[in-house]
Amino acid sequence: MLTLDTELSHIKGINKRIIAGLAKMGIATVRGLLLHLPARYDDFSQASGIADLAIGQTATVRGHVRKISMRRTFRRNLTVIEAVIADHTGAIRAVWFNQPYLMNTLAVGTPGSFAGKVTYAQNGLCLSSPVYEPEEAEATHTGGLIPIYPETKGVTSRGIRYLVKPILQALGQIPDCIPAPVLKYAKLPDFTTALNAAHFPQSLEQAETGKKRIAFEDLFLLQMANLQTKMRLAQEPATPIPWTPAERDHLLAALPFTLTLSQRGALDELLMDIARPNPMNRLLQGDVGSGKTVVVAIAALLAAKHGFQTAILAPTEVLARQHYRTIARLFGAAIHDWHSSVALMTGHEARMFYGEDLETAVPKARAAERVKDGQLHIVIGTHAILEKSVSFHKLALIAVDEQHRFGVEQRATLGKKTSAASKAAHPLIPHFLSMSATPIPRTLSLTVFGDLELSTIDELPAGRLPIVTKIVPDASRTKAYDFIRAQVKQGRQAFVICPRIERASADTDEGIPAAKSHWDDVKAVEEEYDRLAKRVFSDLRVGMLHGKMKSAEKALIMKRFADGELDILVATSVIEVGVDVPNASIMAIEDADRFGLAQLYQFRGRVGRGEHQSACLLFTANRSTIARERLTALMTAKNGFELAERDLLLRGPGEFLGQHQTGLPDTMMGALKNIELVKAARAGALATLEEHGEKQSPLLAERLAKFKHSIHLE
Ligand code: ADP
Ligand code: MG
């Protein structure tokens, strides 16, 4: 029996070459074929009288073959079939290339429809390679809208149409995995109707609705998967952290500032969650400098007060060190009074802080021992180090910077490693907080991160001046450098960011683009550094920072910059996340058009953190309107979220987040742009789960399992 899962190669009578061609496009099953949707539709619905045809028109002609002949061209060795098609108004030539079999189909006198483009050749009008449909046949190809598919060698649109039509007919009514009430709610047709509409629509509108329903399925399954994860996790045991309002207020009072309203809101949500006996799963979003670290630190300290441990994971060592310092600087007294402790653990060093000396280095093994016996409460390190080499005594909270997903298994493993928990019957799953300065558009946070609760800090601490942002064309370069020099003379500091350079020609024979482009990164920065340090700013102190430097070297450069010993720091995008130097007031970005908007936004966030008026200079040699429009968006957008939405529309979510972060196939990404569809999918999934819980229909359960497997959710 023919089903969606039937392999095309098992269906009798399908041409082997088409099967091979489809396989090259990744299409092997009936489902794959049916989900290979038309890219567009040609409208051949109106039959025209031959006498009325005009050059350039795409038309359907009803008539009969009056004459037909085949010849071969010598130069290009093509077969050419020429025919004359006639109807009651006149006659027109038709030409086909390399379709010799048509000689058998189109004998003189054959009636039918011919649909194609009207061109002018050899003194007359001509139908060029028209699609032919016999008179009696059902109008697969020429009546109404004709689907045009993405093609490949050996697989033409016509070939696909010939396959799809009978397969759809043979399948009949295909069971739909989406519950009927959900489709009704979303105002979408069932799967069978949708497939027929997408492949052989009566109108473009119908085609769109069909395609929408097909996209909806992925969104729905994703929501189901995320919500299921969320519900399952909510039933796992976790350590409730019994903080008291008095303790919280003690910490708040120790701060040299008051939290912004939205910091306070996020803090309340976070603290509420960690007091519960089920694991928190929360994403804390907020612009760079909005004060996320402080919020997390308060939660960590409250946990420490009650003897629990927190791991704070940063993407880079520079950032880990910065978190360590921020927490020590802001909460030194409380850490001391509460006999708490903070540790910094990176690949290269370990430091411990008990409220007094910040920079005491200790052997890493000793720090690891203290973590294991529970004497170190707040452990700050890079993602990698904590996953690998450290086990905890009572790990209750994990906070991760700029890494949205942290598998439940990873958490359970870290949690299990704790000696206290291993004695308990159930391993406790630590509470989890993901922090992100990448503003995530709403559609994405609703879908891709649909298993996470969301907290948002959407205001900056008072007193920050808006950053003046300017596009600098090459002609104004000197002026911009003068401006930077003048700022430095007033005591300010500047970043200069260089993008990756891709040298297409030299790269190819090496075959390892990733390694190569890293190298090019370094080279770009080194060249720019040379130029600035030796020529443009030879009178100033210029430093360099890139990802290939040893981490001790990086730390030293960052420290020198932070301490004001360098005026200008030339860097790659390593500077992107984190880094807090309030005295830096200029962010200059070379070839700014090569970065994504969200990334540029992150760079800009590096400045404007102190009391000084800051500026962001976007150097670009690209004069295209699109480049200019994108950069202008950076100047006009009210906040990161607005930019993120624009970036999403311009570049698509895959580019936006990077495939590794979403784990979703590109084909699904398009649907994520449609907020209404996303909302409907979420509502539908919620209702389905509320009604049926874990007992979904067998078909839905099966599809869901396959889907999860395909996006590596499980
Ligand atoms: P994020 O992690 O969101 O980028 P941080 O937590 O590192 O931001 O905070 C950036 C800077 O702002 C830090 O120096 C921090 O001490 C300071 N800060 C945080 N919250 C406030 C506030 N409410 N008022 C004033 N300064 C604040
Ligand atoms: Mg931060």
Side-chain angles (χ1 to χ4, degrees):
M1 200 186 78
L2 193 66
T3 72
L4 289 175
D5 295 317
T6 305
E7 303 267 336
L8 294 174
S9 57
H10 294 171
I11 302 176
K12 281 208 191 87
I14 302 185
N15 179 314
K16 289 258 169 354
R17 269 185 52 199
I18 290 196
I19 290 188
L22 287 170
K24 278 211 192 86
M25 298 166 102
I27 298 169
T29 61
V30 168
R31 183 194 303 278
L33 177 69
L34 295 183
L35 292 182
H36 184 64
L37 297 177
R40 62 186 171 84
Y41 305 86
D42 278 346
D43 189 355
F44 289 164
S45 54
Q46 308 295 333
S48 314
I50 290 174
D52 299 329
L53 295 181
I55 296 172
Q57 183 188 356
T58 306
T60 300
V61 167
R62 270 190 197 138
H64 64 273
V65 180
R66 185 186 283 172
K67 245 166 69 182
I68 187 156
S69 66
M70 179 163 80
R71 65 187 165 84
R72 216 164 246 290
T73 66
F74 285 106
R75 258 196 312 161
R76 296 208 288 150
N77 197 27
L78 293 173
T79 51
V80 182
I81 292 180
E82 281 194 319
V84 174
I85 315 290
D87 69 3
H88 63 279
T89 68
I92 185 170
R93 277 189 308 138
V95 180
W96 293 270
F97 297 99
N98 273 348
Q99 300 183 44
Y101 55 86
L102 283 177
M103 284 305 284
N104 302 328
T105 332
L106 298 176
V108 170
T110 310
S113 300
F114 300 82
K117 190 153 181 170
V118 181
T119 56
Y120 187 84
Q122 291 167 17
N123 304 323
L125 294 184
C126 176
L127 270 180
S128 140
S129 297
V131 173
Y132 161 73
E133 187 95 21
E135 183 91 303
E136 304 303 324
E138 201 185 330
T140 309
H141 302 258
T142 48
L145 296 174
I146 306 218
I148 308 296
Y149 296 88
E151 300 180 357
T152 189
K153 198 165 183 278
V155 187
T156 60
S157 270
R158 184 186 175 85
I160 295 177
R161 286 192 292 266
Y162 262 125
L163 274 183
V164 169
K165 187 98 187 185
I167 285 180
L168 267 180
Q169 267 161 6
L171 282 170
Q173 189 66 27
I174 307 166
D176 201 324
C177 72
I178 302 182
V182 173
L183 288 177
K184 194 167 166 218
Y185 169 83
K187 299 197 183 68
L188 291 170
D190 65 35
F191 194 43
T192 314
T193 311
L195 282 174
N196 279 291
H199 288 284
F200 303 108
Q202 297 303 312
S203 66
L204 284 178
E205 220 181 348
Q206 207 186 51
E208 278 319 301
T209 309
K211 285 184 170 182
K212 225 163 116 179
R213 157 63 186 81
I214 290 162
F216 182 80
E217 185 161 320
D218 279 342
L219 289 179
F220 175 75
L221 292 174
L222 180 63
Q223 294 288 0
M224 288 288 290
N226 277 332
L227 290 172
Q228 259 179 358
T229 306
K230 188 172 168 176
M231 286 174 183
R232 280 181 199 157
L233 193 63
Q235 289 159 15
E236 295 287 336
T239 313
I241 298 168
W243 57 273
T244 68
E247 289 162 352
R248 179 199 58 204
D249 294 344
H250 178 72
L251 293 178
L252 289 176
L255 284 173
F257 46 74
T258 35
L259 294 188
T260 61
L261 270 182
S262 56
Q263 269 176 313
R264 188 54 205 263
L267 178 68
D268 289 343
E269 287 166 346
L270 172 59
L271 293 186
M272 206 89 87
D273 275 3
I274 61 173
R276 291 172 20 83
N278 308 104
M280 168 173 77
N281 209 27
R282 189 171 279 282
L283 173 62
L284 173 59
Q285 319 189 66
D287 274 359
V288 179
S290 62
K292 297 181 293 294
T293 312
V294 186
V295 170
V296 173
I298 292 174
L301 281 162
L302 289 172
K305 177 79 170 55
H306 292 272
F308 295 108
Q309 292 174 300
T310 298
I312 301 180
L313 310 189
T316 65
E317 297 193 358
V318 171
L319 270 171
R321 167 179 286 279
Q322 208 165 80
H323 284 322
Y324 174 69
R325 290 214 188 143
T326 302
I327 294 175
R329 178 168 54 86
L330 290 176
F331 296 106
I335 290 168
H336 182 268
D337 295 347
W338 286 0
H339 306 291
S340 303
S341 53
V342 186
L344 173 70
M345 295 185 75
T346 70
H348 295 84
E349 60 173 348
R351 290 171 195 275
M352 296 196 274
F353 176 71
Y354 292 91
E356 276 140 15
D357 194 2
L358 187 61
E359 300 298 343
T360 322
V362 294
K364 279 193 283 177
R366 207 177 104 212
E369 273 305 305
R370 294 290 87 84
V371 177
K372 199 170 176 180
D373 66 21
Q375 285 186 42
L376 275 175
H377 296 109
I378 302 175
V379 183
I380 302 167
T382 49
H383 297 165
I385 182 126
L386 285 188
E387 281 172 50
K388 274 195 217 125
S389 48
V390 185
S391 55
F392 289 84
H393 180 62
K394 276 177 164 180
L395 180 64
L397 173 63
I398 303 175
V400 180
D401 221 354
E402 296 302 336
Q403 179 181 322
H404 302 104
R405 276 190 190 287
F406 197 71
V408 174
E409 268 154 54
Q410 277 170 292
R411 285 162 67 181
T413 315
L414 268 180
K416 255 186 234 161
K417 274 209 235 166
T418 78
S419 43
S422 57
K423 287 181 205 126
H426 295 290
L428 296 176
I429 295 187
H431 296 291
F432 176 74
L433 182 75
S434 163
M435 292 177 271
S436 177
T438 313
I440 297 166
R442 212 171 132 60
T443 43
L444 277 187
S445 45
L446 277 179
T447 46
V448 181
F449 306 115
D451 51 339
L452 304 177
E453 303 289 341
L454 209 61
S455 291
T456 304
I457 303 181
D458 59 4
E459 61 188 323
L460 291 178
R464 301 242 171 104
L465 293 166
I467 301 161
V468 177
T469 304
K470 284 223 151 55
I471 298 176
V472 185
D474 266 345
S476 313
R477 197 168 267 278
T478 318
K479 243 172 76 190
Y481 287 148
D482 289 345
F483 171 73
I484 295 177
R485 177 176 284 105
Q487 287 285 303
V488 170
K489 295 284 182 220
Q490 286 177 34
R492 300 292 81 74
Q493 289 164 284
F495 294 103
V496 177
I497 307 287
C498 309
R500 170 167 301 179
I501 295 179
E502 267 132 29
R503 288 194 192 95
S505 55
D507 279 358
T508 40
D509 32 22
E510 295 242 333
I512 313 165
K516 188 74 178 179
S517 49
H518 249 302
W519 190 80
D520 279 342
D521 258 6
V522 173
K523 187 155 166 124
V525 175
E526 279 172 350
E527 276 171 10
E528 183 65 8
Y529 170 75
D530 272 357
R531 200 174 68 83
L532 293 179
K534 296 195 184 131
R535 287 190 277 151
V536 183
F537 296 121
S538 54
D539 53 330
L540 305 179
R541 300 165 302 172
V542 185
M544 171 171 67
L545 190 73
H546 59 69
K548 276 288 163 84
M549 285 162 67
K550 294 227 163 60
S551 121
E553 222 179 326
K554 275 191 276 187
L556 182 69
I557 294 284
M558 266 326 293
K559 186 171 181 314
R560 289 183 61 203
F561 189 67
D563 292 347
E565 289 168 21
L566 292 172
D567 301 313
I568 296 174
L569 187 63
V570 184
T572 47
S573 50
V574 287
I575 210 78
E576 186 181 351
V577 269
V579 178
D580 191 14
V581 181
N583 191 51
S585 67
I586 296 167
M587 171 58 65
I589 303 168
E590 287 293 338
D591 291 317
D593 51 282
R594 297 205 201 171
F595 294 102
L597 281 178
Q599 207 179 5
L600 289 172
Y601 184 76
Q602 302 257 40
F603 290 142
R604 185 173 61 179
R606 302 288 122 228
V607 296
R609 313 189 113 203
E611 76 258 38
H612 310 290
Q613 175 63 58
S614 294
C616 177
L617 306 175
L618 306 168
F619 289 99
T620 178
N622 188 335
R623 297 202 206 162
S624 77
T625 325
I626 297 172
R628 205 144 278 264
E629 261 172 30
R630 290 186 54 230
L631 295 182
T632 307
L634 197 67
M635 300 194 264
T636 53
K638 281 194 294 296
N639 54 41
F641 288 98
E642 198 181 308
L643 267 183
E645 299 282 355
R646 285 200 211 185
D647 220 11
L648 177 68
L649 290 175
L650 281 169
R651 298 195 302 158
E655 277 294 309
F656 182 76
L657 283 172
Q659 181 75 61
H660 62 286
Q661 281 203 35
T662 61
L664 299 179
D666 276 351
T667 44
M668 202 183 136
M669 291 298 196
L672 293 181
K673 292 182 188 176
N674 188 336
I675 181 91
E676 288 314 313
L677 210 57
V678 163
K679 280 185 183 160
R682 188 165 178 84
L686 254 179
T688 306
L689 281 169
E690 266 166 21
E691 191 173 338
H692 303 287
E694 298 279 321
K695 284 197 226 60
Q696 301 302 329
S697 77
L699 184 59
L700 179 53
E702 186 199 317
R703 285 287 294 137
L704 204 50
K706 283 209 179 116
F707 179 80
K708 282 181 185 174
H709 184 72
S710 75
I711 63 167
H712 312 295
L713 273 182
E714 284 196 342

